[in-house]
């Protein structure tokens, strides 16, 4: 916000010593978290969990306390820029300092104390009147006495000579002139005119009669109160150094972390975070806007640990309070090609006051939501914060980016009051009330809320981080091409598996990842799909096809029903195929190419089982038969005499014992003599004292004892062996 506006300015400051909190999530700049058996968080959550507002507070303290007020064009503005630049360099950023201007002449007094802890100090800033002496950095030092309005001799203590005189500031020039002249007459070495009441910033003024021998400075009401309180406790010594900076230059600091693969910064998309360095005269600017720089530096710290394919820029702009001077100067250096590369600029200005009425707002010059605003809403939703609102306001450095077509927004904790309906934010905007410390010497560390800084980090920092990473769209579909909703997606980018979430109704999941090579996995109904060694080098899509199709099995040998002679050499032959996820296992009763078992007669089952890498399984079975080498020594038909024995002779390639006949066999059954059709049931042919099997001279001999009652009939004899084979002959009985 420009200083000339009725409600004041939103400002920022920069600088300090690198300090970090004790967050256990801190990771070195070159090493990502080690692999773990537990699922890691998605990168959004992992990064946000590392943001620690304690680090931001330390940066704010250095800017607001160690440096103090950072009026545009003064050495303190430059010191703030150099502090920010030093921190960014330690995080691996390439840092550039930009000088621009000149800006208006500044007349300032730096006030310190060798014997007292100055409230809001140790560096106070007041206005240095050109009517007094500019001491340079050597300054003057002396004890302080209070001389009320300074209008009479009675107002001055007897020992005023050689002292610094504090007097009540009066808006009437003649009263001021008299007060200063009287102080000089009493031997004062410096004069402070400060507001005795209210909540005022340091006044600027001139005197009718110059006082070239002593510095004459103006202090705010807070300075007046603090000095009076310190005097009540005992002697107070102040050191006052006054300087006039004629047509000085303003300073910006820009930190750039180039994208992987784009070290010269000519192609990668740009994500930028900004805050302003300068303050108004006299204000330490803890909230306005050291707070913005404190958040920016913490975002830089965490993101510096990740390889990124987007260029990350951190901007500290001077001269915001004078009319967005530094931001406009920076934007004017951007080429058209460079502007086109911007994803967005997230500007933080006053992002952590404890002022109860303040809320977090995203404000744009036209009052409309844009990409930057929406991404902040998305980040807020991810962390469960529902307090973000958006409306219309320029007045901070986001305006400079907006004016050249770069999506930008001001993020601020402010008591902002939207227009009353039916008016809407776009065309009209609202009004606002700032906290009492705004643009005052009391904008100290007491005006900082670590809790609200943390919310800002989670929301704005979370949005910046999300957009600094690569946008990855993961889709899951069946092998039939149907989208798979609710599919859990995991990614392992070299440091352990992390849960990215589940796909939506369209089978897609949006995730963000750094520059990495990752394995993606999803499991649906027990089927696993994996895409390995996926290069994430920019925004991209990853498609996973879940294989629901079983692998195929081709079983060539043995075929179902195949018959092999005992001891025959036969080789198993089969293969398994899967054109989707690939074959994981393929195993048969014996390995492919190995001998089949033909060492025993009978029926054998051969099984092949296959599984693919998705978890689908299949099996195929074949039953083959191993039989004796059969040779019959009897014809298929013969004649016989009822009641006599019929010899059945055969060989099986050797003596296999007398147990070669299947249980319950042989049998005979009556058949018609002309057709051979059975006319009755089968009957066993063996019995005590009847038929029996013998082996001699390489041949089996079975004696079938026929029945006399079978005269003039035909019977079929069936010899079934224990190898499952049956052999027949039909006998015509006389």
């Amino acid at each position: 916000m420009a200083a000339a506006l009725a409600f004041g300015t939103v400002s920022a400051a920069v600088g300090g010593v690198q300090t970090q909190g004790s967050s256990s999530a801190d990771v070195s700049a070159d090493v990502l978290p080690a692999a773990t058996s537990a699922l890691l968080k998605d990168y959004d959550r992992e990064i946000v969990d590392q943001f620690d507002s304690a680090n931001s507070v330390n940066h704010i303290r250095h800017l607001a306390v160690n440096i103090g007020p950072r009026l545009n064009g003064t050495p303190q503005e430059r010191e703030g820029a150099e502090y920010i630049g030093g921190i960014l360099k330690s995080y691996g950023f390439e840092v550039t300092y930009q000088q621009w201007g000149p800006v208006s002449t500044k007349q300032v007094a730096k006030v310190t104390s060798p014997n007292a802890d100055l409230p809001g100090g140790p560096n106070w800033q007041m206005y240095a009147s050109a009517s007094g002496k500019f001491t340079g950095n050597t300054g003057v030092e002396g004890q302080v006495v209070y001389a009320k309005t300074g209008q009479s001799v009675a107002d001055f203590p007897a020992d005023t000579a050689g002292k610094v005189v504090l007097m009540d500031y009066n808006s009437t020039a003649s009263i001021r002139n008299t007060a200063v002249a009287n102080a000089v007459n009493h031997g004062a070495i410096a004069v402070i005119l400060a507001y005795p009441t209210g909540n005022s910033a340091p006044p600027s003024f001139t005197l009718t009669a110059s006082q070239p021998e002593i510095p004459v400075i103006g202090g705010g009401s807070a300075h007046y109160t603090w000095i009076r309180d310190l005097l009540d406790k005992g002697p107070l010594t102040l050191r006052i150094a006054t300087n006039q900076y004629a047509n000085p230059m303003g300073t910006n600091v820009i930190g750039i972390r180039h994208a992987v693969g784009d070290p010269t910064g000519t192609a990668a998309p740009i994500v930028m975070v900004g805050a302003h360095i300068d303050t108004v005269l006299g204000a330490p600017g803890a909230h306005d806007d050291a707070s913005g720089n404190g958040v920016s530096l913490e975002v830089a710290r965490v993101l510096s640990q990740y390889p990124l394919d987007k260029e990350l820029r951190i901007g500290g702009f001077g001269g915001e309070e004078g009319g967005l001077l530094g931001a406009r100067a920076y934007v004017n250096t951007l080429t058209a090609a460079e502007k086109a590369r911007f994803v967005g600029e997230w500007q933080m200005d006053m992002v952590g006051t404890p002022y109860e009425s303040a809320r977090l707002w995203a404000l744009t010059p036209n009052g409309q939501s844009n990409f930057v605003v929406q991404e902040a809403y998305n980040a807020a939703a991810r962390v469960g914060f529902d307090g973000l609102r958006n409306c219309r306001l320029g007045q901070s450095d986001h305006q400079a980016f907006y004016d050249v077509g770069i999506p930008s927004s001001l993020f601020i904790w402010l008591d902002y009051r939207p227009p009353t309906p039916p008016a809407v934010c776009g065309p009209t905007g609202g009004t606002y009330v700032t906290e009492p410390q705004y643009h005052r010497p009391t904008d100290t560390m007491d005006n900082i809320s670590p809790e609200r800084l943390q919310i800002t980090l989670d929301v704005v920092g979370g949005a910046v981080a999300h957009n600094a990473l690569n946008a990855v769209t993961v889709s899951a579909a069946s092998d039939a091409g149907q989208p798979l909703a609710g599919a859990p997606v995991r990614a392992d980018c070299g440091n352990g598996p992390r849960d990215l979430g589940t796909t939506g109704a369209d089978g897609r999941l949006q995730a963000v990842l750094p520059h990495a090579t990752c394995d993606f996995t999803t499991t649906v109904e027990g089927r696993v799909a994996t895409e390995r060694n996926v290069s994430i080098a920019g925004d991209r899509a990853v498609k996973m096809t879940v294989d629901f199709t079983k692998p195929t099995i081709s079983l060539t040998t043995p075929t179902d029903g195949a018959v092999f002679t005992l001891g025959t050499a036969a080789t198993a032959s089969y293969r398994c195929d899967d054109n989707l996820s690939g074959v994981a296992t393929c195993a048969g009763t014996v390995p492919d190419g190995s001998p089949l078992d033909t060492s025993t007669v009978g029926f054998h089952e051969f099984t092949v089982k296959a599984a693919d890498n998705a978890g689908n399984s299949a099996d195929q079975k074949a039953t083959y038969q191993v039989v004796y080498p059969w040779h019959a020594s009897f014809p298929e038909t013969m004649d016989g005499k009822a009641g006599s024995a019929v010899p059945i002779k055969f060989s099986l390639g050797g003596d296999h014992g007398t147990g070669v006949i299947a249980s319950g066999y042989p049998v005979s059954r009556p058949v018609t003599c002309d057709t051979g059709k059975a006319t009755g049931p089968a009957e066993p042919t063996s019995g005590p004292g009847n038929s029996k099997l013998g082996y001699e001279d390489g041949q089996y001999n079975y004696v079938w004892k026929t029945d006399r009652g079978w005269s003039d009939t035909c019977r079929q004899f069936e010899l079934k062996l224990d190898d499952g084979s049956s052999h027949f002959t039909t006998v015509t009985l006389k």
Side-chain angles (χ1 to χ4, degrees):
M1 304 178 182
L5 295 172
F7 289 116
T9 286
V10 178
S11 329
V14 211
V17 175
Q18 180 181 355
T19 50
Q20 296 184 4
S22 59
S23 170
S24 62
D26 287 349
V27 188
S28 75
D30 297 317
V31 181
L32 289 173
T36 174
S37 58
L39 278 177
L40 300 171
K41 301 170 183 174
D42 66 73
Y43 282 98
D44 276 322
R45 184 77 265 178
E46 177 180 286
I47 290 173
V48 168
D49 284 351
Q50 291 183 74
F51 290 143
D52 188 347
S53 66
N55 295 326
S56 297
V57 169
N58 287 334
H59 294 309
I60 295 167
R61 181 176 290 108
H62 188 90
L63 291 167
V65 178
N66 295 8
I67 297 176
R70 302 167 300 284
L71 187 64
N72 178 219
T74 66
Q76 288 76 28
E77 181 186 63
R78 177 73 185 194
E79 186 180 353
E82 290 176 348
Y83 170 74
I84 295 171
I87 297 299
L88 291 174
K89 284 181 181 179
S90 74
Y91 296 154
F93 284 73
E94 178 184 292
V95 173
T96 301
Y97 298 99
Q98 295 181 338
Q99 284 200 307
W100 44 268
V103 298
S104 61
T105 296
K106 302 299 189 298
Q107 299 169 182
V108 295
K110 182 176 181 179
V111 180
T112 57
S113 174
N115 75 329
D117 291 330
L118 300 182
N123 299 303
W124 284 349
Q125 187 182 74
M126 299 183 192
Y127 173 73
S129 175
S131 302
K133 178 181 180 180
F134 290 112
T135 66
N137 293 333
T138 56
V140 297
E141 184 176 301
Q143 286 191 4
V144 178
V145 295
Y146 174 55
K148 302 177 184 177
T149 63
Q151 299 302 298
S152 66
V153 172
D155 288 340
F156 292 88
D159 59 349
T160 296
K163 303 288 179 65
V164 175
V165 178
L166 169 69
M167 294 182 289
D168 298 355
Y169 175 82
N170 195 287
S171 59
T172 303
S174 61
I175 294 176
R176 291 197 302 271
N177 288 327
T178 299
V180 174
N182 288 340
V184 171
N185 291 335
H186 282 79
I189 62 170
V191 168
I192 302 173
L193 296 177
Y195 285 106
T197 59
N199 182 22
S200 298
S204 58
F205 57 87
T206 57
L207 300 173
T208 302
S210 297
Q211 301 292 343
E213 301 302 320
I214 66 168
V216 180
I217 65 177
S221 51
H223 293 134
Y224 180 94
T225 300
W226 289 336
I227 294 173
R228 293 294 306 274
D229 289 344
L230 289 169
L231 288 173
D232 288 343
K233 297 174 183 177
L236 170 66
T237 297
L238 292 179
R239 182 176 183 279
I240 298 172
T242 55
N243 282 284
Q244 182 181 62
Y245 302 104
N247 302 317
M249 302 296 285
T251 302
N252 294 336
V253 57
I254 307 298
I256 298 179
R257 190 166 185 267
H258 290 295
V260 175
D262 186 27
T264 59
T266 58
I270 298 169
V271 173
M272 188 164 192
V273 186
H276 70 87
I277 306 169
D278 63 312
T279 67
V280 296
L281 177 71
H287 189 222
D288 185 13
D289 182 32
S291 64
N293 290 283
V295 170
S296 294
L297 289 173
E298 179 64 356
V299 171
R301 179 187 74 84
V302 174
L303 286 183
S304 69
Q305 302 170 84
Y306 296 87
L308 303 175
D309 291 297
K310 294 187 177 69
E311 184 176 300
L312 179 61
R313 295 190 182 185
I314 306 293
F317 306 116
E320 186 269 354
E321 302 290 0
L324 323 181
L325 302 178
R328 294 194 189 281
Y330 170 70
V331 167
N332 287 339
T333 68
L334 300 176
T335 66
E338 203 171 3
K339 294 172 189 175
R341 290 165 51 208
F342 268 80
V343 174
E345 195 265 352
W346 284 259
Q347 183 71 22
M348 283 174 287
D349 196 346
M350 301 170 59
V351 288
T353 178
Y355 183 50
E356 195 283 328
S357 299
R359 297 292 181 267
L360 182 58
W361 287 85
L363 303 173
T364 59
N366 65 352
Q368 299 297 310
S369 179
N370 60 22
F371 178 81
V372 168
V373 173
Q374 187 55 52
E375 286 298 292
Y377 273 110
N378 294 343
R382 288 192 293 272
V383 298
F385 177 70
D386 62 359
L388 179 65
R389 300 290 183 269
N390 66 285
C391 200
R392 177 177 178 170
L393 194 68
Q395 303 175 211
S396 191
D397 289 329
H398 66 301
Q399 179 79 54
F401 292 87
Y402 170 86
D403 289 344
V404 296
I406 295 173
S408 62
S409 178
L410 164 66
F411 294 91
I412 184 170
W413 282 88
L414 183 67
D415 181 11
Y416 185 93
R417 300 167 185 186
T420 302
V424 295
C425 285
T428 58
T431 60
Y432 60 87
V433 175
T434 56
E435 70 267 24
Q437 296 82 5
Y438 175 68
H439 281 187
R440 298 294 183 268
T442 49
D443 186 9
T444 64
M445 295 305 295
D446 290 338
N447 195 26
I448 292 297
S449 164
E451 294 76 18
R452 285 182 168 178
L453 287 173
Q454 190 65 54
I455 293 172
T456 306
L457 281 166
D458 293 349
V459 174
V460 182
V464 171
H466 185 87
N467 283 277
L469 297 173
N470 297 313
V472 178
T473 301
V474 182
S475 61
S478 70
D479 48 6
Q482 296 300 313
L484 296 175
V489 178
R490 296 177 181 177
D492 187 339
C493 299
N495 57 342
R498 63 181 70 241
D499 188 356
L500 300 186
T502 57
T503 57
D506 60 354
R508 297 187 178 190
L509 166 71
Q510 303 295 327
V512 289
L513 290 88
H515 179 92
T517 298
C518 306
D519 295 340
F520 293 85
T521 303
T522 187
T523 303
V524 179
E525 298 179 12
R527 276 74 170 182
V528 179
T530 301
E531 288 293 320
R532 298 189 183 279
N533 298 318
V534 179
S535 175
I536 306 299
D539 298 346
R540 65 160 300 164
V542 177
K543 183 178 181 180
M544 289 192 292
T545 300
V546 181
D547 179 2
F548 288 97
T549 301
K550 296 179 180 181
T552 59
I553 299 172
S554 299
L555 178 54
T556 305
T557 304
T559 58
D560 193 40
V563 178
F564 300 93
T565 300
L566 181 67
T568 298
T571 301
S573 176
Y574 58 87
R575 61 175 291 172
C576 307
D577 294 288
D578 191 280
N579 294 328
L580 296 172
S581 59
V583 175
T585 60
C586 179
T589 302
V590 298
D592 178 53
S594 298
L596 288 176
D597 180 11
T598 61
S599 63
T600 58
V601 297
F603 292 95
H604 297 256
E605 186 173 82
F606 192 92
T607 302
V608 179
K609 294 184 177 180
D612 62 19
N613 289 306
N616 298 298
S617 61
D619 64 78
Q620 185 170 333
K621 297 179 180 179
T623 300
Y624 66 95
Q625 184 181 10
V626 178
V627 298
Y628 297 111
W630 168 266
H631 178 73
S633 298
F634 57 88
E636 292 184 8
T637 62
M638 67 176 83
D639 294 330
K641 185 177 181 180
S644 65
V646 177
I648 304 295
K649 296 182 179 183
F650 58 94
S651 63
L652 300 177
D655 185 0
H656 298 286
T658 57
V660 296
I661 298 178
S663 177
Y665 288 85
V667 296
S668 70
R669 61 181 60 83
V671 296
T672 61
C673 292
D674 54 349
T675 65
K677 183 177 181 180
T679 60
E683 300 170 352
T685 63
S686 61
N690 293 325
S691 306
K692 63 179 181 179
L693 179 68
Y695 182 82
E696 186 177 356
D697 295 331
Q699 184 171 260
Y700 283 93
N701 184 35
Y702 182 83
V703 179
W704 173 26
K705 180 71 174 185
T706 62
D707 191 289
R708 285 197 184 111
W710 295 346
S711 179
D712 297 326
T713 66
C714 291
R715 293 190 75 88
Q716 184 187 60
F717 175 85
E718 179 183 0
L719 175 65
K720 186 173 184 179
L721 302 178
D722 64 352
D723 65 2
S725 63
S726 291
H727 307 276
F728 301 88
T729 185
T730 300
V731 180
T732 302
L733 296 167
K734 300 297 184 181

